[in-house]
Amino acid sequence: MAAATAAGAAVVVALAVSGPDATGRLAGSPVAPAVTSRPGGLPASPGAGGHGASPSPSGASVPAGSGDPTAPGTKSVAPPAATGSPTGAPSPTTPVRPGAGEPLALSVRSHVWQNACDHTYLSERGPQAVPAPPVEQDAPAWAAAQRAVHARQQIVEVTATGKGAGPVVLQAVQVRVVARRAPLKWNVYAMSPGCGGALTPATYAVNLDAPRPLARPVEGSDAGEPVPAPTLPLRVSAQEPAVLRVEATTTGCDCDWYLELRWAAGERSGTARIGADGGPFRTSAAVGRPTYGYAYELGRWSRG
């Protein structure tokens, strides 16, 4: 597609976050900050945020006491408040602060809707207290005001741009689930009754329930024309950024999760941890929850 070429390379990753992470364990609380890099391709030591954590088989820090909150004999953990200030107006695009000396500039959009119109949110507020749905570009402020959480699926777009004179190679995109709770028992609010599109993005389909999850490239379609399946590694620079589109879904948990972007530049390498508003992304299952669509002719939400 010409639009994708003009904006830089586009990579799409489809992720189901209801399964275990790559270590095969269910995580309980946020892990230590991302490991930054130092010359020679060797990772620096993680920060003090890993206090109380034990190393996982993958080498990342996983909190001690991790477990499935729904397992027998385990107390249910009350879900924390949704990220964002109720009165704030978050920017649609959030810059991600890179580690010291990292050659990448990263920004993230965490409120991306299918075809710019189809998305659902969970909110504990009743329909009389929830305003009409916004347009996509106003979704961050609307969701923050309703203390809303992404329902069923969250689409994230990360723009990666090289900062130095040389290129940076994006080697892998991975997901780490850092908290897992029972799904929220809130109302679901649909931003539209659904809208079709002629574009089916190419994806990396990932089954996180597998013992060793693998990214499987899947071809897409643009008005009947095939869109080649995306592949990594991918080279980016200051002149040629890349947009990584991640589609995360869940049918069984209220999940906190991060993206981890592995990169290499010359003799240096590292992993950038990416989240939203200084913390993890959050997506909750919504199976069987009351769903409301907005009836514009009546000026109110109507249960579907």
Side-chain angles (χ1 to χ4, degrees), residues 15 18 29 81 92 155-156 161 276:
L15 300 155
S18 58
S29 59
I155 302 174
V156 173
T161 306

Side-chain angles (χ1 to χ4, degrees), residues 94-207:
T94 304
V96 177
R97 180 174 297 177
E102 279 192 359
L104 278 176
L106 301 170
S107 62
V108 61
R109 293 179 60 217
S110 59
H111 291 264
V112 180
W113 298 356
Q114 288 284 8
N115 302 306
C117 64
D118 192 6
H119 195 65
T120 53
Y121 291 97
L122 282 154
S123 175
E124 61 183 339
R125 297 180 179 177
Q128 298 82 4
V130 175
V135 293
E136 184 189 38
Q137 58 265 38
D138 296 334
W142 185 94
Q146 312 318 311
R147 303 190 69 82
V149 172
H150 297 277
R152 306 185 183 104
Q153 181 186 63
Q154 181 174 4
I155 302 174
V156 173
E157 286 187 354
V158 178
T159 300
T161 306
K163 294 195 299 185
V168 180
V169 176
L170 308 182
Q171 297 177 317
V173 179
Q174 299 166 326
V175 166
R176 185 171 300 278
V177 179
V178 294
R180 206 179 290 277
R181 301 169 293 270
L184 294 168
K185 303 297 184 181
W186 294 354
N187 294 323
V188 176
Y189 294 94
M191 299 297 97
S192 84
C195 48
L199 174 64
T200 301
T203 67
Y204 279 106
V206 179
N207 176 14

Side-chain angles (χ1 to χ4, degrees), residues 8-298:
V11 177
V12 185
V13 184
L15 300 155
V17 299
S18 58
D21 65 12
T23 68
R25 300 180 57 183
L26 297 177
S29 59
V31 300
V35 176
T36 57
S37 67
R38 54 190 173 93
L42 299 176
S45 299
H51 176 71
S54 59
S56 74
S58 66
S61 177
V62 177
S66 299
D68 184 351
T70 63
T74 303
K75 293 183 179 180
S76 175
V77 180
T83 301
S85 168
T87 58
S91 169
T93 302
T94 304
V96 177
R97 180 174 297 177
E102 279 192 359
L104 278 176
L106 301 170
S107 62
V108 61
R109 293 179 60 217
S110 59
H111 291 264
V112 180
W113 298 356
Q114 288 284 8
N115 302 306
C117 64
D118 192 6
H119 195 65
T120 53
Y121 291 97
L122 282 154
S123 175
E124 61 183 339
R125 297 180 179 177
Q128 298 82 4
V130 175
V135 293
E136 184 189 38
Q137 58 265 38
D138 296 334
W142 185 94
Q146 312 318 311
R147 303 190 69 82
V149 172
H150 297 277
R152 306 185 183 104
Q153 181 186 63
Q154 181 174 4
I155 302 174
V156 173
E157 286 187 354
V158 178
T159 300
T161 306
K163 294 195 299 185
V168 180
V169 176
L170 308 182
Q171 297 177 317
V173 179
Q174 299 166 326
V175 166
R176 185 171 300 278
V177 179
V178 294
R180 206 179 290 277
R181 301 169 293 270
L184 294 168
K185 303 297 184 181
W186 294 354
N187 294 323
V188 176
Y189 294 94
M191 299 297 97
S192 84
C195 48
L199 174 64
T200 301
T203 67
Y204 279 106
V206 179
N207 176 14
L208 293 183
D209 293 324
R212 292 180 180 274
L214 298 175
R216 181 173 59 89
V218 178
E219 185 180 78
S221 174
D222 184 4
E225 294 296 322
V227 177
T231 57
L232 291 178
L234 180 69
R235 186 187 299 253
V236 300
S237 67
Q239 293 74 36
E240 295 182 278
V243 178
L244 310 178
R245 180 181 170 107
V246 176
E247 299 183 359
T249 60
T250 178
T251 59
C253 73
D254 173 15
C255 300
D256 293 344
W257 56 281
Y258 287 97
L259 291 175
E260 293 181 341
L261 179 60
R262 198 167 72 233
W263 57 266
E267 296 182 350
R268 303 171 57 212
S269 63
T271 298
R273 171 168 286 185
I274 302 167
D277 302 321
F281 302 113
R282 186 180 179 189
T283 314
S284 177
V287 177
R289 301 309 305 156
T291 300
Y292 293 86
Y294 197 78
Y296 286 93
E297 68 279 8
L298 301 176

